[in-house]
């Protein structure tokens, strides 16, 4: 297994991150246990979740499954670098008006305690803001995060779905308080979504954040879905996106055939080759899907392959400074 540092922190994590969004939804508990067992056995130590996973009235279910798995012992908790997120509505009547989506010192304290209870642990390595809340003062947030760190309940703080300038403001405020600040940004980034290359990736690199891409296969579009016939259960929005990108995807499929590698593994390998990326999130629903994704670590893309991929899926205009030059 390949490992890297989580941003400018001293924490080492695997180059692939196990995403648990499907646990308790599309993936039943026993299968989730098998996937997590296989992850640790394969050397993947970085697990990502969120307090709202399970969704709606079932919010928290995914964290509960992970907590039950930790309780099996055998060093499972000790060997796991655990990341979770907060921001959303946990559908807890006791939250009252403070349960609505957003950030606050109240939510950091109360929702952190809820996650710790469900996860059956006393600490979380990486505590992430699931979205930005520009109505809240950073002094309030950093004070709350600092308190949680001093109590030993969280190790590091990360962001998710932040714009480049949100990252810059957060880091400036943290520096003024003498804090490390953010160590990671979780962002949608893949071959069909390269806009983060303009600001989010350069800002993250310059300010010491590791990038954790979510939806690395863009809902399956980069995994060969266009080769399959339309399925009755597929959403119309998925069909529209597939048709919009069909020409690119067919060209990409042909290129991957020439490489002798499947599209999904090439898509992951392309992300792994980016020095700004810490670890793409693998959101496998089954053990077989998870095992397949591990093979991406063995796919090497040379300069000519990377150039060809850029031709098929052009970036947003090159490096940010040049893109903004006239």
């Amino acid at each position: 297994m390949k490992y890297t540092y989580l941003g400018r922190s001293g924490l080492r994590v695997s180059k692939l991150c196990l995403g648990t969004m499907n646990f308790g939804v599309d993936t039943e508990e026993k299968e989730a246990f098998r996937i997590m067992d296989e992850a640790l056995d394969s050397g993947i130590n970085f697990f990502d979740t969120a307090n709202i996973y399970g969704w709606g009235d079932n919010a928290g279910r995914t964290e509960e499954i992970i907590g039950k798995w930790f309780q099996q012992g055998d060093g499972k908790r000790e060997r796991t670098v655990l990341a979770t997120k907060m921001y959303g509505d946990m559908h807890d009547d006791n939250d009252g008006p403070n349960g609505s989506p957003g950030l606050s010192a109240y939510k950091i304290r109360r929702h952190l305690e809820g996650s710790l209870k469900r996860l059956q642990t006393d600490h979380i390595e990486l505590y992430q803001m699931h979205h930005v809340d520009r109505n809240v003062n950073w002094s309030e947030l950093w004070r709350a995060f600092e308190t949680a760190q001093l109590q030993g309940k969280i190790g590091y703080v990360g962001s998710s779905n932040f714009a480049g300038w949100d990252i810059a403001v957060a880091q400036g405020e943290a520096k003024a308080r003498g804090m490390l600040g953010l160590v990671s940004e979780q962002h949608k980034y893949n071959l069909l979504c390269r806009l983060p290359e303009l600001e989010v990736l350069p800002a993250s690199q310059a300010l010491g954040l590791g990038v954790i891409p979510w939806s690395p296969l863009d809902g399956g579009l980069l995994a060969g879905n266009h080769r399959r016939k339309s399925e009755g259960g597929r959403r119309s929005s998925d069909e529209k996106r597939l048709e919009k990108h069909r020409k690119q995807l067919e060209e990409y499929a042909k290129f991957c055939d020439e490489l002798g590698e499947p599209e999904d593994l090439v898509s992951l390998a392309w992300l792994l080759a980016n020095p700004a990326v810490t670890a793409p999130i693998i959101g496998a629903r089954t053990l077989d899907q998870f095992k397949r994704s591990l093979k991406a670590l063995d796919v090497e893309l040379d300069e000519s392959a990377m150039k060809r991929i850029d031709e098929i899926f052009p970036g947003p205009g090159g490096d940010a400074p040049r893109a903004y030059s006239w």
Side-chain angles (χ1 to χ4, degrees):
M1 179 56 63
K2 300 176 182 178
Y3 296 91
T4 185
Y5 287 103
L6 182 60
R8 58 177 173 172
S9 78
L11 188 64
R12 296 194 72 194
V13 297
S14 48
K15 287 286 288 179
L16 289 175
C17 176
L18 175 63
T20 62
M21 181 185 293
N22 295 307
F23 293 0
V25 183
D26 296 321
T27 306
E28 55 96 21
E29 186 177 289
K30 289 183 179 180
E31 184 74 352
F33 285 3
R34 285 191 285 267
I35 292 171
M36 289 187 283
D37 284 338
E38 183 68 26
L40 276 190
D41 289 344
S42 302
I44 289 185
N45 70 337
F46 193 17
F47 290 16
D48 176 74
T49 191
N51 60 356
I52 62 168
Y53 290 170
W55 311 105
D57 292 336
N58 261 340
R61 175 60 182 148
T62 302
E63 286 186 332
E64 289 174 352
I65 289 174
I66 297 171
K68 289 177 69 176
W69 179 74
F70 283 153
Q71 289 306 301
Q72 293 181 349
D74 194 29
K76 288 178 167 59
R77 176 65 188 98
E78 292 76 12
R79 290 186 287 157
T80 299
V81 174
L82 177 63
T84 192
K85 300 181 284 291
M86 64 86 191
Y87 175 93
D89 187 349
M90 291 301 293
H91 301 273
D92 183 347
D93 291 339
N94 291 323
D95 278 336
N98 288 296
S100 58
L103 301 174
S104 66
Y106 170 94
K107 184 160 283 188
I108 292 169
R109 177 189 61 80
R110 182 167 169 77
H111 286 201
L112 172 58
E113 291 295 340
S115 286
L116 291 172
K117 183 177 180 180
R118 287 186 293 273
L119 290 162
Q120 301 193 53
T121 186
D122 62 358
H123 69 284
I124 292 165
E125 278 74 28
L126 178 63
Y127 199 48
Q128 304 162 105
M129 294 165 279
H130 213 153
H131 298 277
V132 69
D133 185 346
R134 300 191 181 106
N135 295 312
V136 183
N137 190 294
W138 272 106
S139 292
E140 173 185 349
L141 299 180
W142 280 129
R143 186 180 298 112
F145 283 126
E146 185 176 28
T147 298
Q149 287 175 318
L150 291 172
Q151 292 172 339
K153 294 178 180 178
I154 64 174
Y156 302 93
V157 181
S159 59
S160 179
N161 304 306
F162 275 37
W165 69 271
D166 293 316
I167 292 170
V169 171
Q171 295 302 73
E173 293 284 352
K175 184 177 181 180
R177 296 180 64 87
M179 295 179 65
L180 177 64
L182 302 171
V183 300
S184 63
E185 161 61 14
Q186 193 174 131
H187 213 88
K188 184 176 182 180
Y189 180 46
N190 57 54
L191 286 170
L192 287 170
C193 181
R194 295 186 61 173
L195 190 62
E197 293 173 11
L198 279 180
E199 293 190 3
V200 174
L201 267 63
S204 295
Q205 281 188 292
L207 297 171
L209 283 70
V211 176
I212 307 169
W214 60 268
S215 194
L217 303 180
D218 209 328
L221 288 183
L222 293 166
N225 280 2
H226 66 285
R227 298 185 190 234
R228 305 178 185 84
K229 293 183 179 179
S230 178
E231 301 171 12
R234 183 177 292 163
R235 296 176 299 179
S236 59
S237 59
D238 293 339
E239 287 286 0
K240 289 179 181 178
R241 295 194 65 245
L242 192 154
E243 290 308 316
K244 176 183 177 181
H245 297 291
R246 183 174 291 279
K247 184 176 179 180
Q248 281 177 294
L249 294 171
E250 289 177 348
E251 193 173 355
Y252 179 57
K254 182 179 178 181
F255 169 68
C256 290
D257 287 343
E258 292 170 359
L259 283 180
E261 299 287 356
E263 291 133 274
D264 54 339
L265 301 189
V266 174
S267 298
L268 290 171
W270 177 81
L271 286 169
L272 288 165
N274 191 319
V277 170
T278 292
I281 296 175
I282 305 170
R285 293 191 302 274
T286 67
L287 180 59
D288 287 343
Q289 286 181 352
F290 174 76
K291 288 181 176 180
R292 176 185 174 88
S293 296
L294 292 179
K295 298 176 182 178
L297 293 165
D298 299 322
V299 177
E300 298 289 340
L301 300 175
D302 60 22
E303 186 176 342
S304 63
M306 295 293 282
K307 181 179 178 180
R308 181 67 184 118
I309 290 173
D310 279 339
E311 291 171 351
I312 299 171
F313 301 104
D319 294 335
R322 289 198 294 272
Y324 289 136
S325 299
W326 294 91

